[in-house]
Structure formats: C-alpha cells, structure tokens
Amino acid sequence: MLAYVIRRLLHTVLVVFAISLLIFFSIRLTGDPVTVMFSAGEPTKEAIEQLRASLGLDEPLYVQYLIFIKGLLTFDFGESFRSGGPVIDLIMEKAGATLALAVGGMTVAILIAFPVGILSAVKRGTAVDIFGRIFSLMGISFPNFWLGIMLILIFSVNLQWLPSSGFDGFSSLILPSITLGMILSGILARLVRSSMLEVMNQQYVSTAKSKGISDWAVIIKHAFRNALLPTVTFIGLQFGALLGGTVIVEQIFAWPGIGRLIIDAINQRDYPVVQGGVIFLAVIMVVVNLIVDLSYSLIDPRIKAGGSGKA
Amino acid sequence: MKKKLSFLFTLLMIFTLVLSACSSGGSSEKAGSDTSKENSKEENPVKDRGNEIIVGVSAEPQNWDPIDTFLLDWSTIATSVFEGLVDRTLDLELQPGLAESWEYLDDSTLQFKLRQGVTFHNGEPFNAEAVKFTFDRLLGPEGQKGPQYSNYNTIDKVEIVDEYTVNFKLNAKDPVLLTKLAGYGAVIVPPNYIKENGDDHFNNNPVGTGPFKMTGYKRDQEIVLEKNPNYWKEGLPKLDKVTFKVIPEASTRLAELQTGKIDIMKRVEVAQAKTIKDTSFLELKEIGSPTVFAIRFDTAKKPLDNKLVRQAINYAIDKDAIIKEILGGYGYPISTFQSELSFGNNPNLKPYSYDPEKAKELLNEAGVKEGTELDFFIPGNDGNFKEIAQVVSFYLEEVGLKVNIQTADGTTMNSDLIPNGNAGHMYRNGWGGWTLDFDNTAYQMYAEGEFWNPSFKDAKVEELLAAERSTVDQAEREKIFKELTEVLYELAPEVNLYQAVDLYAANKRVQNFQPPHEDRMRLEEVSVK
C-alpha cells in the first residue's frame, strides 16, 4: 500500500513536470504580454522592449523556464505581471470560491442524479424511466452558459428570488451550483441507472428478494451499495474536472474563482498566473485521482490498491 | 423508437416554451404595444438605497498604482480617486486640475502653479514636494518597470521653485505633453504614504486627492469609494458612496440592472439596447469614443502594394450600411484613422463613398485579375466584427475579389501576427488614440519600422510626422495634420470603417450622469433622486 502511494506520488511529480513544460511553452507561442498591458496606451517600440526586459522576457526561453522550475520547487509561482502580487496568494484567494462552487455543483448533481437514476432503473421501461432518460439527455445537452443565463432570467429578473451574481452568502451559491450540477447530473443519472441495472440482475439481489426482504430494502441496501462503486469513481474523477470546468459558470455569475482567474490571465498573457493556476489545478486533479483509487479499497475490500497495477 | 422521439421533442418544446415565457419580460422581442403596456406597470426596483449608487463594470485592473497600468478599466474607477495637474472636462477640453495654471518659460521649461489647500485622503498636504516625488517615481527605477514611463520620458526632471510652483525641465520638444499629463499615468501620489507603507501596500490601498476615497477593495468582486469630505471643489461630490461591482458577463450585468442591484451599467451591447429602452425605469446613454476601427492593409503584399487597389477596396465597401445594419447605428463614419474627438482630425475629408463601379475600374486599371484572393484576419472573440467581415467579403466579391476570412486570437494578432506581417493581406485594427491627438496614432501607424506598422512607408508622410513633432505651436501643428490626413487619405493604407460609440445604461434615479468618451467615469456631480 505504502509503496503504491509512493509510486503514485512520483507519478504525480512527473505529470506536473510534463504539464509545466507544456503550459510554459504553449502560452509563450500565443503572443506577448507586454502589448496587452498597454491596452489603452499604444506604446512605442522602445517602451515595449523596455517593459519586456523589466519582466525578464528578454532572457532566453530556457533560462526563463529554469527560473520558473526553480520557483516551483520552493512553491514560488512567481509574481503576476498584472497585479504585481505573488501568484500563490492570488490562487489561494480564489481557491475557496471555486471549491465551494465545485462542491455545490457536485451536491446538486448527486441530489438529482441518484433519485432519478435509481428510479429509472427500478421502474425500467415505464414512463418514469423514459422521463429519467430524457432528463439525463437534456442535462447533457444543455450548454451551461445558456442554462445559467436562463436561470438568471427566471430566478433573478422575473421572480427576484435569488441574486444573479457575486459571492455573497449561501443564496448566491444556488444558481451557479445548479448550472454546474445540471450537466453532471445528466451523465451521473445515466451511470447510476446502468450500474443499478447491472447489479439488479445479479444473483444475490434475486436471492435477497427471495428471502422476503422488502423491495426498497433490497434496492438500497444491496443493489445501490454495490452500484455505488463505479459511481464513486466517476464522481471522484468528475470532481477534479468540475474544478477546472467552473470557468464558464464563474464568468456568468461573476464568481471570483480560479477559472476566471486563469481565463483573465490567459487573455492578458499574465504568464506566471496562467502557469501557476494550471499547475495548481493539475495537482488537485492528480491528488483527487489518487484519493479515488485509494478509496476503492475502502468501498470494496476485494480490490487491493497495489495489486491491479492500476495507475 | 419513433414514438419515444416524438415524446421527447414534445417535452423539450414545452420546456422551451415555459422558459421563454418566463424570460420574455427581460429580453425577448415582443410586439411594441404589448411591451409598453407591461412597462407602465413596472416599478423601479431601487427604493431605499440612499445617497449612493452601484456601478456594474466588466473588469477591474487588479493593481491601483497609476504607474503600473494602462488599462481603461483602471481609469473608469481610479479617475474618482486620483487627480493630475491637468484635467479634462467631460467634453475632453483641457482644464486646470491640481495645477491652477501653466506656461512655457522657454522651449525646455514648463512651469506649473499649483492649487493650494488640497490634501490627500490620508491628510497629507498636496504641494510641490508631492509633484516632484510623483515624477521622480514615475521616471525612476520603479516607474521604468511599468508601462507608463515611456510616455513621459521627454521630462528630464522636475524642480521645486517654491511650495506651490514647479518647473518641468524637458529634454525635447513634446507638443503632446500637456494632453498626456491629463491622462492617468501622471496623477499625483502621496509621498509620505508611499514611503511609509511601500509600493505593494499602495497597489491595493490607493490614496489620492480625488473626490472619492477608496475604502474597500475585494479583488474581482467590488470596489467601494466613499465621499472625500475635504474635497477642494466646493460642494462636491454629491454622492456619499459609489460601489463598483465587477460582473464580466454582459447579460448578467443587464440582469443586475433590471433587478435594481446596480444603478449604472458599463459596456452595454448593441443587442441589449432595445431591452433597456423598453424598460420604463432605465435610460440608455450613448457616447462617441476615441476608439476607431479599420481594415488595415499589409502594403508589402501584392496586389495591395498598389495604391489603386487600396482605393478600389475603399470604394467597394458600403461603410454606412455596415454602421446602420450591423452596429444598429451605434457608430460614426470616419475618413482617417482617428475619431472626430482627436486633435488633427480633418472635418473637410469625406469618407470614401460606396461606388462599386469605380472600384471595378480601379482594379481593372491596376491589372488585378478577377477572383484574386485576399486573406483577411479578424479576432475570434469579436462577434460584431465577424459579421462585418462577412459583409466586407460580400462587397469585395461584388467587385471580383475573393476574401478568405481567417480568425485568430485577438492578443496573438496584436502582439505577434500584425507586427510580424503575418496577418494576411488585411486585418482588423482597432485604435484608441488615448492622447486625443493624432500624433500618437499617426506615428505608430505610418512611421517606418514602428511596432504595429509592418510595411507601410512613404517619404512625404515621414517628413510631415517629423515636422509635426518639432513644434509646440498648435496652429502650426494643425496645419501639418491637415496636410498629413490628405496625403494619407490619398494613399489609403486602410479602409476606415467607423468610430465606436459606447453604450451605458442607468437607472432613472441617477441624476446628472454623463457617460465619458474615454471610459473615465466622472461622478462628482452625480446625484440621486
């Protein structure tokens, strides 16, 4: 187990290294941050060169990369070109808001998907099932910027129940969470349905039924518990994706999170912030994956973390 | 299967109908009479906010130090916090700011008499010392790291004459210096405050002499300004508090305006104008901006090295139709690559008329074959311009040219493709002209070897540019610009499309709000009903 964890951590370091290379060089292929910093100023050639030098952008690329990697080793992501502040502070400032949104989105997804998925499976072939499947399809098909704007129009503009933007208490979390959770709930409901169906065909479920245990007890205690394994894996993996996928939702709802931070930074070519933000998200993804793999063995003791060589 | 599908469609349709019914009050296009009836019942949702307003903006600069930024988003907010020696009225006329008057003592000495009795928000006095500190900082190592420095490096040094008089020693003639001082890099900062707290603290906790002081700042969320009770202009500001809320998405900003969560909305989109006009408690405000848009030619590429071809393309495009149909009328025609707001604008020049027959003749004369292909680069994130590009491509097809529209990321285009001559035969170019003097634009667009000018060069243009910079006599300069604009008009290095119009919306409780031409909101005269 310990060896497995160590191997996975080394693996993580490799992944982060690969990402650092990719993000460092790809962002530099897309233009120069200096001209962007003058958005209203129309600088002369000399001014552009001067500013470039003061940001260290006149150094050869490999030197810039070495400085960046050296910083990473000491958890120093450098300073934002735009705000002048340390990147790590910017990320930490935003991480909470993004995490809250991801948890909110996940909660909505689970609250919708589990009942819908279970009911669909249990009432297979009936109207309930069809409705559940249509619901899943709709959830998957909605573009979330559209859904977000629709929710704002309905719940903020027309009904005036909920705030349409900002980061101000629980009520402002509701609409963004629904927007983020809807898409995931569609996929998740389908997954719950199919794993439930698979489990319900297993012999132990029929055995349990034949023992006279009530239908719902069988469904929840036996079938659902076993159907949970693939679902939890999926949720774990999706949680990482949710963190990265909050970008559009953060934009619509003026949510001060990491997604918006990175998008702004990309537009402004604020290299240190882009690099730091992407690597931060990457590390979280890898760590979440690790936790998912480890939790396998907790949910289903038959799976030994190290044994399968799963990586 | 078929049955299931039709069921699905029915359900989807019901759902869409429900949604659109719910949303119609906001943005759908209902029949006029219907809407107005509905509106008469509308109540202004803002009732008890008191003597304060909330402004919805799309972005904030993340850094309040004036020497570190050249962003319009900075100027929108910080214009209320900081002031410069020279100021502009809402109509962009230069007027005294923290300096009461100025004069050139000789060609290289500009003397300012400073206003007395002004204090910074922290109580520190404003005086010659503060002016000298500001410019030492702007021109010193700290300032040289930022984007503002290069605009002021004709100032050699600032000398204190007495407590309220300073002399600017110049190392070259700079006819645009005063207009630059009315810009925002040279606003006056408090010496003791910065010395005591450091630049990093100042970045997030700015202190100036302006009508409002910043009392709250949550990055990416909101900026709170409160009345400066010691402001030097008698009886101003009228508001007690102004809050700027950062809301990047235009439709969300509009929703906040409709629900009364904000009072003023910046960056209204053309498509939103109707909704605002249809809402009884809202007002739409339009204002001409110095920003202009053009299709620039890469004159190094055939056949655009030929003046006749460039003129032909100018005749082939109906710019008035573009303004009317695509911009909803929110744009003004231009004849050169500057707005009517800018010094050096030549009102006698009329934009190239729409004359496809003439275009064909000129192309014929230049020997351009039917079906010649041109690559046209546009930024991918500008939906409006994408439509314009399609219309342009249609117009050019009418005269026998074939246009390939290529989209690229806007930043990549500006910082890489255009300067390196890789943006096709022609490309979209937007230009702010922040000095409101043609000098800056003309130099950077047409002088040989400039960053954004990959290929255009002309001896006469070079000569006029040099002449314009060699004098501070405005009448003389105006004459030179008149000639320059005529030469450029004839050479047609671009198709000048339109001057942008900025749209703002405000709740009717807001009184006396005039939207700024150049994003710098001035709120001291604003009050609420």
Side-chain angles (χ1 to χ4, degrees):
Chain A
M1 185 74 174
L2 186 67
Y4 173 71
V5 173
I6 291 173
R7 208 167 70 225
R8 282 298 301 264
L9 286 176
L10 284 176
H11 185 198
T12 305
V13 172
L14 266 178
V15 169
V16 170
F17 176 70
I19 289 173
S20 76
L21 268 173
L22 201 68
I23 189 71
F24 181 89
F25 290 101
S26 63
I27 182 80
R28 275 165 180 76
L29 288 177
T30 62
D32 182 353
V34 171
T35 46
V36 187
M37 292 170 76
F38 284 95
S39 76
E42 296 126 16
T44 59
K45 214 171 174 174
E46 296 72 39
I48 292 171
E49 273 155 23
Q50 193 161 26
L51 190 52
R52 196 175 281 148
S54 86
L55 294 174
L57 294 170
D58 55 341
E59 300 276 2
L61 267 190
Y62 74 91
V63 174
Q64 292 182 42
Y65 182 69
L66 286 179
I67 294 170
F68 168 55
I69 286 292
K70 212 175 127 198
L72 271 192
L73 293 177
T74 55
F75 294 102
D76 175 6
F77 291 97
E79 287 180 352
S80 158
F81 290 167
R82 178 97 174 269
S83 73
V87 172
I88 191 78
D89 291 0
L90 289 175
I91 291 173
M92 286 307 152
E93 201 180 290
K94 313 280 180 186
T98 295
L99 200 68
L101 184 55
V103 169
M106 191 52 86
T107 310
V108 168
I110 289 173
L111 285 179
I112 297 175
F114 278 17
V116 170
I118 293 173
L119 273 175
S120 280
V122 173
K123 309 277 180 191
R124 184 180 183 185
T126 65
V128 176
D129 185 21
I130 293 170
F131 176 79
R133 281 155 72 185
I134 289 172
F135 175 82
S136 313
L137 188 66
M138 283 189 351
I140 298 165
S141 328
F142 280 154
N144 50 10
F145 61 87
W146 180 81
L147 183 64
I149 289 168
M150 280 300 152
L151 289 175
I152 287 176
L153 282 174
I154 298 170
F155 293 102
S156 303
V157 178
N158 282 61
L159 298 172
Q160 312 221 348
W161 288 350
L162 293 166
S164 62
S165 76
F167 176 56
D168 196 19
F170 181 72
S171 64
S172 58
L173 187 58
I174 297 174
L175 293 185
S177 297
I178 294 176
T179 311
L180 191 62
M182 268 307 266
I183 291 189
L184 188 57
S185 75
I187 312 173
L188 194 56
R190 286 176 79 156
L191 189 76
V192 170
R193 180 182 179 273
S194 62
S195 12
M196 281 294 287
L197 283 176
E198 198 178 310
V199 173
M200 279 163 65
N201 288 333
Q202 300 283 329
Q203 210 172 359
Y204 62 85
V205 173
S206 1
T207 313
K209 273 187 184 168
S210 67
K211 280 183 184 167
I213 302 173
S214 80
D215 276 3
W216 279 105
V218 172
I219 288 162
I220 298 302
K221 271 196 183 155
H222 296 271
F224 178 62
R225 226 186 122 187
N226 286 297
L228 209 56
L229 183 63
T231 318
V232 165
T233 314
F234 177 77
I235 291 177
L237 294 176
Q238 283 301 310
F239 190 72
L242 265 193
L243 274 181
T246 54
V247 176
I248 293 171
V249 178
E250 286 179 3
Q251 193 77 5
I252 296 171
F253 292 96
W255 195 261
I258 290 186
R260 229 175 106 197
L261 179 74
I262 295 177
I263 284 292
D264 283 351
I266 288 174
N267 286 333
Q268 291 144 9
R269 301 297 189 271
D270 196 340
Y271 296 164
V273 176
V274 178
Q275 288 161 189
V278 170
I279 284 178
F280 178 81
L281 285 183
V283 168
I284 287 195
M285 293 272 249
V286 178
V287 169
V288 169
N289 280 357
L290 179 63
I291 293 171
V292 169
D293 285 354
L294 292 178
S295 64
Y296 265 22
S297 53
L298 295 177
I299 295 177
D300 188 343
R302 284 171 306 171
I303 297 173
K304 287 274 172 284
S308 63
K310 202 177 268 282
Chain B
M1 186 67 201
K2 239 183 185 173
K3 217 175 172 184
K4 269 188 200 164
L5 262 180
S6 67
F7 179 63
L8 191 149
F9 277 122
T10 321
L11 216 103
L12 265 176
M13 271 181 65
I14 293 169
F15 191 71
T16 319
L17 274 175
V18 170
L19 279 182
S20 61
C22 292
S23 66
S24 64
S27 66
S28 85
E29 292 159 29
K30 278 195 165 184
S33 61
D34 205 36
T35 319
S36 62
K37 216 184 284 169
E38 209 172 81
N39 283 339
S40 60
K41 281 182 259 156
E42 277 171 352
E43 250 186 88
N44 195 331
V46 188
K47 289 184 194 83
D48 43 13
R49 189 167 286 147
N51 190 24
E52 64 168 280
I53 59 166
I54 303 176
V55 183
V57 294
S58 59
E60 59 104 351
Q62 316 247 322
N63 180 340
W64 298 103
D65 191 332
I67 62 177
D68 285 340
T69 186
F70 228 124
L71 300 170
L72 293 171
D73 295 318
W74 187 93
S75 72
T76 299
I77 298 164
T79 293
S80 293
V81 178
F82 292 106
E83 292 172 302
L85 295 175
V86 185
D87 197 8
R88 282 185 194 282
T89 64
L90 271 166
D91 299 318
L92 302 179
E93 297 290 328
L94 288 183
Q95 66 171 356
L98 289 178
E100 278 181 325
S101 63
W102 51 85
E103 65 175 322
Y104 274 97
L105 299 183
D106 56 60
D107 263 4
S108 61
T109 313
L110 180 58
Q111 184 171 82
F112 288 93
K113 293 275 184 202
L114 306 182
R115 197 172 292 282
Q116 304 192 13
V118 177
T119 53
F120 289 96
H121 300 149
N122 64 338
E124 218 177 311
F126 160 78
N127 51 27
E129 189 63 52
V131 176
K132 181 169 165 55
F133 174 82
T134 297
F135 285 91
D136 285 352
R137 182 168 180 268
L138 171 58
L139 301 168
E142 184 65 25
Q144 284 176 26
K145 281 193 258 166
Q148 289 278 356
Y149 166 74
S150 60
N151 288 303
Y152 300 95
N153 57 10
T154 49
I155 302 170
D156 190 36
K157 55 177 183 276
V158 172
E159 288 171 352
I160 297 178
V161 178
D162 60 45
E163 198 180 351
Y164 294 104
T165 314
V166 289
N167 284 347
F168 280 48
K169 298 303 251 183
L170 310 179
N171 53 35
K173 276 187 192 160
D174 187 351
V176 230
L177 184 59
L178 278 172
T179 179
K180 282 176 177 172
L181 289 174
Y184 41 89
V187 291
I188 308 302
V189 297
N192 293 335
Y193 180 80
I194 294 178
K195 280 183 216 153
E196 276 161 26
N197 299 293
D199 290 296
D200 286 340
H201 181 81
F202 183 58
N203 271 349
N204 295 310
N205 304 276
V207 163
T209 60
F212 294 93
K213 50 186 179 182
M214 197 179 286
T215 55
Y217 172 41
K218 275 195 261 176
R219 200 191 303 276
D220 269 345
Q221 296 177 64
E222 64 171 26
I223 298 99
V224 180
L225 307 183
E226 283 179 60
K227 177 180 186 152
N228 170 8
N230 303 317
Y231 190 50
W232 57 272
K233 282 185 196 162
E234 205 63 43
L236 297 179
K238 291 181 176 164
L239 291 168
D240 290 331
K241 191 175 164 193
V242 179
T243 305
F244 289 88
K245 273 177 83 174
V246 185
I247 309 164
E249 186 65 30
S251 47
T252 313
R253 275 205 304 289
L254 180 58
E256 295 275 275
L257 186 72
Q258 289 174 304
T259 51
K261 304 275 170 41
I262 61 174
D263 296 296
I264 296 178
M265 169 179 175
K266 194 186 164 189
R267 302 231 165 113
V268 175
E269 291 178 355
V270 170
Q272 298 175 322
K274 187 178 177 301
T275 307
I276 289 159
K277 282 200 247 171
D278 286 349
T279 308
S280 61
F281 58 86
L282 296 179
E283 254 178 302
L284 181 74
K285 290 169 182 276
E286 53 175 293
I287 188 86
S289 135
T291 302
V292 288
F293 288 92
I295 302 168
R296 295 261 296 162
F297 298 124
D298 189 338
T299 52
K301 299 204 168 91
K302 277 193 187 315
L304 298 165
D305 53 342
N306 187 336
K307 178 176 86 179
L308 298 179
V309 180
R310 301 197 296 261
Q311 288 175 341
I313 293 176
N314 265 289
Y315 282 116
I317 298 169
D318 187 348
K319 285 142 286 190
D320 288 338
I322 288 175
I323 292 171
K324 190 157 163 270
E325 301 301 332
I326 299 178
L327 301 176
Y330 298 117
Y332 306 140
I334 46 172
S335 53
T336 50
F337 201 28
Q338 61 180 322
S339 77
E340 64 188 4
L341 299 166
S342 148
F343 179 81
N345 180 51
N346 184 346
N348 302 328
L349 287 176
K350 293 284 165 267
Y352 278 87
S353 56
Y354 174 52
D355 190 345
E357 287 314 310
K358 178 127 189 184
K360 280 185 206 160
E361 272 168 38
L362 286 168
L363 287 174
N364 206 3
E365 195 184 332
V368 176
K369 286 197 195 74
E370 178 95 21
T372 297
E373 298 198 17
L374 299 173
D375 290 329
F376 182 15
F377 271 68
I378 62 169
N381 57 353
D382 186 337
N384 259 348
F385 206 87
K386 202 167 198 170
E387 284 181 52
I388 292 177
Q390 280 154 0
V391 173
V392 164
S393 133
F394 164 80
Y395 282 130
L396 294 189
E397 225 158 273
E398 294 286 287
V399 298
L401 296 167
K402 187 170 172 350
V403 176
N404 308 314
I405 298 173
Q406 315 247 22
T407 45
D409 170 72
T411 306
T412 310
M413 257 180 78
N414 283 330
S415 65
D416 185 14
L417 301 181
I418 293 174
N420 293 314
N422 291 328
H425 295 90
M426 48 193 211
Y427 50 87
R428 186 203 84 154
N429 207 181
W431 196 254
W434 73 282
T435 55
L436 299 162
D437 187 300
F438 193 38
D439 165 84
N440 192 40
T441 309
Y443 228 89
Q444 295 184 48
M445 291 291 111
Y446 311 114
E448 190 179 349
E450 279 295 312
F451 186 78
W452 277 287
N453 177 21
S455 53
F456 179 83
K457 50 178 180 258
D458 181 81
K460 184 70 190 164
V461 171
E462 298 284 337
E463 184 191 308
L464 290 168
L465 283 172
E468 166 274 314
R469 281 199 168 178
S470 66
T471 171
V472 290
D473 180 343
Q474 292 297 74
E476 173 72 17
R477 292 182 71 233
E478 194 164 11
K479 223 176 81 193
I480 300 171
F481 279 141
K482 190 165 174 288
E483 190 179 349
L484 177 62
T485 48
E486 277 156 12
V487 172
L488 286 169
Y489 184 87
E490 169 74 17
L491 291 173
E494 70 261 314
V495 181
N496 293 297
L497 292 173
Y498 61 92
Q499 174 189 347
V501 167
D502 289 342
L503 297 178
Y504 288 75
N507 191 300
K508 283 186 179 160
R509 73 187 279 266
V510 179
Q511 307 287 303
N512 251 334
F513 169 64
Q514 185 186 325
H517 288 288
E518 17 71 298
D519 283 61
R520 301 174 66 181
M521 279 198 193
R522 290 162 179 91
L523 300 167
E524 66 247 44
E525 303 270 4
V526 173
S527 59
V528 289
K529 194 158 62 172

